[in-house]
Amino acid sequence: NGNETSNYELEFCTASDETRYLLVNATTRRDAENNIVGVVGVAQDVTEAKTHDRAVAAMAKELRQLIDAANAPIFGIDVNGNVNEWNQKTAEITGYTKEEAMNKPLVSRFIVPKLKNSVQKVMGDALKGNETSNYELEFITKSNEVRYLLVNATTRRDAGNVIVGVVGVAQDVTETAKHDRAVALMANELRQLVDRANAPIFGIDSDGNVNEWNEMTAEITGFTGDYALGKPLVETFIIPKLQKSVQNILTQALNGNETSNYELEFCTASDETRYLLVNATTRRDAENNIVGVVGVAQDVTEAKTHDRAVAAMAKELRQLIDAANAPIFGIDVNGNVNEWNQKTAEITGYTKEEAMNKPLVSRFIVPKLKNSVQKVMGDALKGNETSNYELEFITKSNEVRYLLVNATTRRDAGNVIVGVVGVAQDVTETAKHDRAVALMANELRQLVDRANAPIFGIDSDGNVNEWNEMTAEITGFTGDYALGKPLVETFIIPKLQKSVQNILTQALNGNETSN
C-alpha cells in the first residue's frame, strides 16, 4: 500500500528451530511504471543485542524485586532530595507506604529535627560523589516513633555516569541503639553514682597508678582527683607502715584474689590519718581481662577514734576497778567469779588468780547466808538489782568480813545479761561495833526487866511503854495489860493524879524530879 515501516523487530525461525531477532526496514518495491510489485526488507541481525537486552531487563527486574523484597531498608532520593526509592522494608519500618513516601522531601519529611542539617549534608555530599558509610540517622515513623538506621549513602549514576541521586542501604539498629543508649545512660548514671557516692571509691590500673578517685575520696583525703590521678596509690597515699601489706592486697586483687573489709590508713593532704575499711575488687574489661582494682570503702575514722577512746576508757575503768579503794567483785551467769579487784583480794586474802572461775557463793560466803546470797545474785541475773545487802565473806585465814553490797546486773553491748557486779563497802568494824551495841542493849533490856526495883516508863503521850517484872509484881498488872495504857488515869489514885501529871509533864520538858 506504499506505507513503509522502519526498525521493525521481527523474529525468524531458523532451520535449527532457534529464533533470530532482526531489525527490519520494510521498503515498498515498485516497477518502472511505479506500480507496487512487492516489499524489500533490509534487516540487521540484533539477536545478540536482544539477548543481552533481555538479560539486562531480567537482571533489572530481579534487582528491582531484590530491592523491594530485601530484608534491609533501602531508600533513595533524586538530585532534588525527593524520595524516588522506598522498598517494602523501609515502608514496614517507617509505617509509610511507597505511595505515601514517593516524591516527598526525605530530610524535611522523615528525619528527626535534630539531625536534619547533618543528614542534609551527608546526602549533599553523596550527590557530589562523596559517599558516607555507617552513618546513623533517625527516622520519624508514621506513628511518631523514632527508628534508628545505620546507613551507607551511595551515589546513584545513570548510564552516562551522571549523578542522578543517592541510594541509602540501611540496617535497622533501633533495638541495638536503644540498648546502647540504655547502656550509655546506665554507664553515665554509674559514673555519677561513683563520683557522687557517699562512700570513698578509688581505683588503680594494672601498674598500681590511680585511675579512679571519687568526690568523697577527694573530700576525705584532701587531694583532688586531678592531683591523685596517675599517681602510684601505695607510695603516695598509704602510711609507710602499711605500704607493704596494702601492696600485697592490691597485687592479689590484680591476680583475681579479692579482699573484703581490709583496714588501711590514708595520709591526707593535711598530714592527718584517715581509717578506711575497704573491699578490694578486681576490675575487668569486656573480655574479662583484669585491668585494675577498685576499692569501695567506708570511712571508719570516727568509729576508729571512738573505739580507741572506748578502749582507753575501758583500760582506765579496768585500772580504776582494779585499784579502787572499795572491794569490787563479779560473777558470770553460772555464778563463777569473773571480777576480783585488788581490794577484794586484800580483804579476803585470796588473790585474783585463786578466786577467778570459782563459785562465789559456795566458796566464799558463810554457810548461814549462802541461800539468801544465792537468791540476791539470782535476782540480779534476772535484772532485779539489790542495794545495801550485807553479806559475810570467809577469808583465807577463816575470819569473817562484813561487806555492804550493791548487786548490779551486768549486760553486754546487746543488753543481754551476762553476769552480776558487786560494788561493796567493808563494814566489818561497823558491823562488829553494831553487834557489840546490840549485845549491850540486850543486856540492858535483861537488866531492866529483871531488876529488883520497879521500873516503868511512858511515851510522849503519857502512855505506858516500859513495865518491868518488879512493877508487874508490885501492882499486880502484867506488862501486856499495862503497855499502851495512860499511866496517870489508869494506875494513880485520883487525889494524886494532878500532881503526878505535873511531874511527868515537867520531865517531858526536860525538868526531872527526884524522890
Side-chain angles (χ1 to χ4, degrees):
N1 292 321
N3 300 315
E4 298 178 345
T5 300
S6 299
N7 294 328
Y8 177 74
E9 187 180 282
L10 54 80
E11 301 174 22
F12 266 72
C13 291
T14 69
S16 58
D17 204 26
E18 293 179 310
T19 299
R20 301 295 290 183
Y21 299 92
L22 301 181
L23 196 61
V24 179
N25 288 326
T27 305
T28 303
R29 191 173 191 174
R30 298 175 184 273
D31 59 14
E33 286 79 26
N34 204 32
N35 296 313
I36 294 172
V37 295
V39 177
V40 175
V42 179
Q44 182 181 0
D45 184 2
V46 293
T47 301
E48 298 306 319
K50 187 69 175 179
T51 302
H52 175 267
D53 289 347
R54 288 193 171 183
V56 169
M59 183 182 293
K61 182 179 181 182
E62 184 179 350
L63 289 173
R64 166 55 52 202
Q65 289 175 335
L66 179 63
I67 288 172
D68 285 342
N71 199 34
I74 300 173
F75 54 90
I77 58 169
D78 58 22
V79 291
N80 297 314
N82 295 323
V83 175
N84 61 1
E85 194 71 66
W86 195 263
N87 78 340
Q88 295 170 14
K89 195 65 176 178
T90 308
E92 177 189 325
I93 288 172
T94 63
Y96 291 103
T97 65
K98 185 172 184 176
E99 291 71 22
E100 290 173 320
M102 292 296 280
N103 299 314
K104 300 291 191 304
L106 176 73
V107 175
S108 62
R109 182 68 185 82
F110 301 106
I111 304 301
V112 296
K114 68 180 180 180
L115 293 182
K116 287 185 189 295
N117 289 340
S118 61
V119 174
Q120 189 67 61
K121 182 178 185 304
V122 167
M123 294 300 170
D125 287 347
L127 285 171
K128 295 174 184 176
N130 302 314
E131 301 177 343
T132 301
S133 299
N134 295 329
Y135 178 76
E136 188 178 286
L137 54 80
E138 300 174 25
F139 263 71
I140 302 172
T141 70
K142 194 171 184 177
S143 57
N144 209 34
E145 295 178 307
V146 174
R147 301 295 291 187
Y148 300 90
L149 301 184
L150 196 62
V151 180
N152 289 329
T154 305
T155 304
R156 191 173 193 173
R157 300 171 185 270
D158 62 11
N161 205 34
V162 175
I163 294 173
V164 293
V166 179
V167 173
V169 179
Q171 182 181 1
D172 183 6
V173 293
T174 302
E175 298 307 316
T176 303
K178 285 182 177 178
H179 176 264
D180 290 346
R181 281 166 172 75
V183 169
L185 180 61
M186 183 183 294
N188 184 53
E189 287 178 355
L190 288 174
R191 166 53 51 201
Q192 290 178 337
L193 178 63
V194 168
D195 286 342
R196 298 174 185 174
N198 200 33
I201 299 174
F202 55 91
I204 59 167
D205 58 24
S206 56
D207 296 320
N209 297 322
V210 175
N211 60 2
E212 193 74 66
W213 195 265
N214 77 340
E215 294 171 5
M216 185 54 77
T217 307
E219 179 183 327
I220 287 172
T221 63
F223 294 108
T224 65
D226 291 339
Y227 174 82
L229 291 172
K231 298 279 195 311
L233 176 72
V234 175
E235 293 86 336
T236 310
F237 302 106
I238 304 301
I239 64 172
K241 70 178 182 180
L242 291 182
Q243 287 184 355
K244 187 174 181 180
S245 60
V246 172
Q247 187 63 61
N248 183 48
I249 293 291
L250 296 177
T251 300
Q252 287 186 53
L254 285 170
N255 290 324
N257 302 313
E258 302 177 344
T259 300
S260 298
N261 295 329
Y262 178 77
E263 187 178 285
L264 54 80
E265 300 174 27
F266 262 71
C267 298
T268 70
S270 57
D271 205 29
E272 295 177 306
T273 299
R274 300 295 291 186
Y275 300 90
L276 300 184
L277 198 62
V278 180
N279 288 329
T281 305
T282 304
R283 191 173 194 172
R284 298 174 185 270
D285 62 16
E287 284 74 41
N288 206 37
N289 298 313
I290 294 174
V291 294
V293 179
V294 174
V296 180
Q298 182 180 0
D299 183 6
V300 293
T301 304
E302 301 306 319
K304 188 74 174 178
T305 303
H306 175 264
D307 289 346
R308 290 190 170 182
V310 168
M313 184 183 294
K315 183 178 180 182
E316 184 180 348
L317 289 173
R318 167 54 53 202
Q319 291 174 335
L320 179 63
I321 288 172
D322 286 342
N325 199 35
I328 300 174
F329 56 91
I331 60 168
D332 59 24
V333 291
N334 298 314
N336 296 322
V337 174
N338 61 1
E339 195 72 65
W340 195 264
N341 77 342
Q342 295 169 16
K343 194 66 175 177
T344 308
E346 178 188 325
I347 288 171
T348 64
Y350 291 103
T351 64
K352 185 173 184 177
E353 291 71 20
E354 290 173 321
M356 290 296 280
N357 298 314
K358 301 293 191 302
L360 177 74
V361 175
S362 63
R363 183 70 185 79
F364 301 105
I365 304 301
V366 297
K368 68 180 180 181
L369 293 182
K370 288 185 190 293
N371 290 340
S372 60
V373 173
Q374 189 66 61
K375 183 178 185 305
V376 168
M377 295 297 170
D379 287 346
L381 286 171
K382 295 174 184 175
N384 303 314
E385 300 175 344
T386 300
S387 299
N388 295 327
Y389 178 76
E390 187 179 286
L391 53 79
E392 300 174 24
F393 264 72
I394 301 172
T395 70
K396 194 170 184 178
S397 58
N398 210 33
E399 295 177 304
V400 175
R401 302 294 290 185
Y402 300 91
L403 300 185
L404 196 62
V405 179
N406 288 330
T408 304
T409 304
R410 191 173 195 173
R411 300 173 186 269
D412 64 12
N415 206 35
V416 176
I417 294 173
V418 293
V420 179
V421 174
V423 180
Q425 183 180 359
D426 183 6
V427 292
T428 302
E429 299 308 317
T430 303
K432 286 180 179 179
H433 175 265
D434 290 346
R435 280 164 174 74
V437 169
L439 181 61
M440 184 182 295
N442 185 54
E443 288 177 354
L444 289 173
R445 163 57 50 203
Q446 290 178 342
L447 179 62
V448 167
D449 285 342
R450 297 173 185 174
N452 200 30
I455 299 173
F456 58 90
I458 61 168
D459 59 23
S460 58
D461 295 321
N463 297 321
V464 175
N465 62 1
E466 193 71 64
W467 196 266
N468 76 343
E469 294 174 1
M470 184 55 74
T471 306
E473 181 182 331
I474 289 171
T475 62
F477 295 109
T478 66
D480 290 339
Y481 175 81
L483 291 173
K485 299 285 194 307
L487 176 72
V488 174
E489 293 87 335
T490 309
F491 302 106
I492 304 301
I493 62 175
K495 69 178 182 178
L496 293 181
Q497 287 183 354
K498 187 174 181 180
S499 60
V500 171
Q501 184 65 60
N502 183 47
I503 288 170
L504 295 176
T505 300
Q506 288 185 54
L508 285 170
N509 291 324
N511 301 313
E512 300 176 348
T513 301
S514 299
N515 295 324

